[in-house]
Amino acid sequence: MAEALIFHYRKQNTFLCKANPVTKIAAIIAICVVILSVSLPGLLLVSTALLGAALTQRLPLRRYKRELRYFALLLLLILITEYLATQSHQASFSAFLRFICIILCGLLIADSTSPDDLARSLGSMLNRIPFVRGWEVASTIELTLSILPMIFDASLEVVTARKARLERRRNPLYSLTSLVSAIFSLLLDKAEDLSLALEARLFDPSRPRPRLPYTSVDVLLSIQVLLLLLFARML
């Protein structure tokens, strides 16, 4: 099975992919705010619901194994440090679940939202705010989200190339420095290619684009998130 790269948009005909990006961002902000103050049963409910959403979205979690190892290490560090600080199993497990919820939220919105759709939705909304260049801000966000996956692409390309060359270095510090330097160099090349491609297409960050409409999917998603957070607060 081919390995998938994390935080990449996949075009699908799923419930989340049909929702407006602004609705999804608002839902994620609400979830992240609420999980900071809910009890452990509420966290269990929210994390279970997000895991169900990941299954519905058909996230290829098994194919994210390379990148998820780093998140697993962070989860372990959070669990240990929180327990050492509070001496409470419940507090450490709550911090563990909060981080899982945040990771799942990031995976879901990255997998279901293309940077272009996000820019079209945010640009039309931000442009109505006085003294804010909405389309330029939205285009900056779009380019940032487009560049972030390049880090994972470049890392995978460099590591794969070194494995193919059977490179083995005994000095771990030199090996790490060489790896970071190679990744950074490849990132600069990819950024230059992106810049040339944008210039060739006469990209104008301030140019208005057709906005995405809100549909019944957005209403249904908002109701589901609202009910989920209300039940989580009540537990």
Side-chain angles (χ1 to χ4, degrees), residues 134-154:
W135 290 109
E136 292 186 12
V137 174
S139 297
T140 302
I141 296 174
E142 177 188 10
L143 291 176
T144 303
L145 293 178
S146 299
I147 291 173
L148 283 177
M150 289 185 184
I151 300 174
F152 298 101
D153 296 343

Side-chain angles (χ1 to χ4, degrees), residues 88-112:
S88 170
H89 293 88
Q90 181 173 340
S92 57
F93 189 58
S94 296
F96 179 84
L97 287 178
R98 288 190 184 97
F99 192 64
I100 287 181
C101 290
I102 293 173
I103 293 174
L104 287 174
C105 285
L107 290 175
L108 287 170
I109 193 169
D111 188 79
S112 64

Side-chain angles (χ1 to χ4, degrees), residues 22-70:
V22 174
T23 305
K24 288 182 278 191
I25 291 177
I28 286 179
I29 292 175
I31 291 173
C32 291
V33 170
V34 169
I35 61 175
L36 296 176
S37 58
V38 296
S39 61
L40 181 57
L43 284 172
L44 286 171
L45 176 62
V46 174
S47 58
T48 302
L50 289 175
L51 185 59
L55 294 175
T56 305
Q57 183 65 17
R58 297 192 292 273
L59 283 179
L61 296 177
R62 292 182 180 179
R63 298 167 62 188
Y64 289 160
K65 57 183 180 180
R66 180 185 297 273
E67 293 86 358
L68 287 180
R69 287 183 299 182
Y70 304 109

Side-chain angles (χ1 to χ4, degrees), residues 162-181:
R162 294 197 168 201
K163 286 182 178 180
R165 291 194 296 265
L166 301 178
E167 290 192 11
R168 296 290 186 272
R169 301 188 184 276
R170 295 182 178 180
N171 190 331
L173 181 59
Y174 179 81
S175 179
L176 180 61
T177 304
S178 176
L179 179 65
V180 172
S181 177

